[in-house]
Amino acid sequence: MTDTRTLVTGVSSGIGRAIAERLIADGRRVVGMSRRRGDLPGDHLAVDLTDTAAVRTATADLGPLDAIVHAAGLQHSARLGALDDAAFTAMWQVHVAAAAALADSAAASVVDGGRILLIGSRTAVGVAGKSQYAATKAALQAMSRAWAAELAPRRVTVNVLAPGPTRTPMLDDPHRAATPPLSPPLGRLVEPSEVADYAAFLLGPGGAMITGQHLVICGGASL
């Protein structure tokens, strides 16, 4: 796959950045996509992922890809009686609509035997105070299974990697202050590099026979 590249969204910080850094360290060529470039080396597409038309335009002619990783995300937390329609729309656009636009526009560019990986959340099963966020992450499971079935003849795998509480800038975002992170049973938060390690496995040779799955890394938070 020396002539291919991996498209990773959300590379300016957090899990997306950690995945991009891990793939670059492994010798893969990465194309980052985010509003801000940051200081990540390599090619970068400055795209607002709430704008699906812009996502489609940016991915229309990327050339062959060995994988697509959709890691961009945001979190707004609120309980019933205080739900925010605008926040729900923003999360849906970034998590779900952008994923659909990416796959629809760029799946044909993914080489046979390639990968599509969506970063979900272990809270997709439902957590108090996170109903809107959880709904958007749960939608990724349904889409990924449908795409996995569609792309299986080309041996392109499609999975959701779902972290639990991870040490990223999102934890300090005031929009999720209503649901402060709790330390999981294993005693600490998940590190972005640990999510990146799992992602690298799924994107590598060892992940060739894993598709249509929702894979959790949460330090026991789902117990």
Side-chain angles (χ1 to χ4, degrees):
M1 295 186 180
T2 55
D3 294 328
T4 61
R5 300 183 293 176
T6 300
L7 176 64
V8 183
T9 70
V11 296
S12 60
S13 67
I15 290 172
R17 179 184 175 87
I19 291 173
E21 288 178 332
R22 170 60 193 269
L23 295 179
I24 291 170
D26 287 347
R28 296 175 75 142
R29 299 171 60 209
V30 169
V31 180
M33 178 183 287
S34 57
R35 285 183 299 175
R36 295 181 291 106
R37 180 183 178 94
D39 58 357
L40 193 74
D43 297 329
H44 182 264
L45 302 171
V47 178
D48 181 348
L49 287 156
T50 65
D51 184 346
T52 53
V55 171
R56 290 176 178 275
T57 298
T59 54
D61 190 25
L62 281 178
L65 300 171
D66 51 54
I68 298 170
V69 181
H70 182 42
L74 68 155
Q75 184 177 153
H76 291 252
S77 300
R79 292 179 176 269
L80 286 172
L83 298 183
D84 185 325
D85 292 343
F88 191 23
T89 297
M91 289 188 288
W92 184 270
Q93 286 297 111
V94 172
H95 299 158
V96 185
L102 280 168
D104 192 51
S105 177
S109 297
V110 176
V111 299
D112 290 357
R115 310 277 191 270
I116 296 177
L117 181 62
L118 309 177
I119 300 302
S121 171
R122 81 100 188 167
T123 61
V125 297
V127 171
K130 297 185 178 183
S131 59
Q132 293 173 311
Y133 177 76
T136 66
K137 292 297 189 176
L140 297 181
Q141 297 183 48
M143 287 202 309
S144 66
R145 288 182 64 82
W147 297 342
E150 292 179 30
L151 295 173
R154 294 179 47 214
R155 307 184 314 282
V156 174
T157 70
V158 188
N159 293 291
V160 176
L161 177 54
T166 305
R167 193 187 307 279
T168 70
M170 185 185 292
L171 295 186
D172 300 320
D173 189 333
H175 292 114
R176 56 92 30 96
T179 55
L182 301 175
S183 181
L186 289 184
R188 64 171 176 81
L189 300 177
V190 179
E191 294 294 336
S193 61
E194 293 170 320
V195 181
D197 288 343
Y198 203 164
F201 168 75
L202 293 170
L203 295 169
M209 294 301 289
I210 303 170
T211 195
Q213 303 305 306
H214 183 250
L215 303 155
V216 177
I217 173 172
C218 69
S222 56
L223 293 175

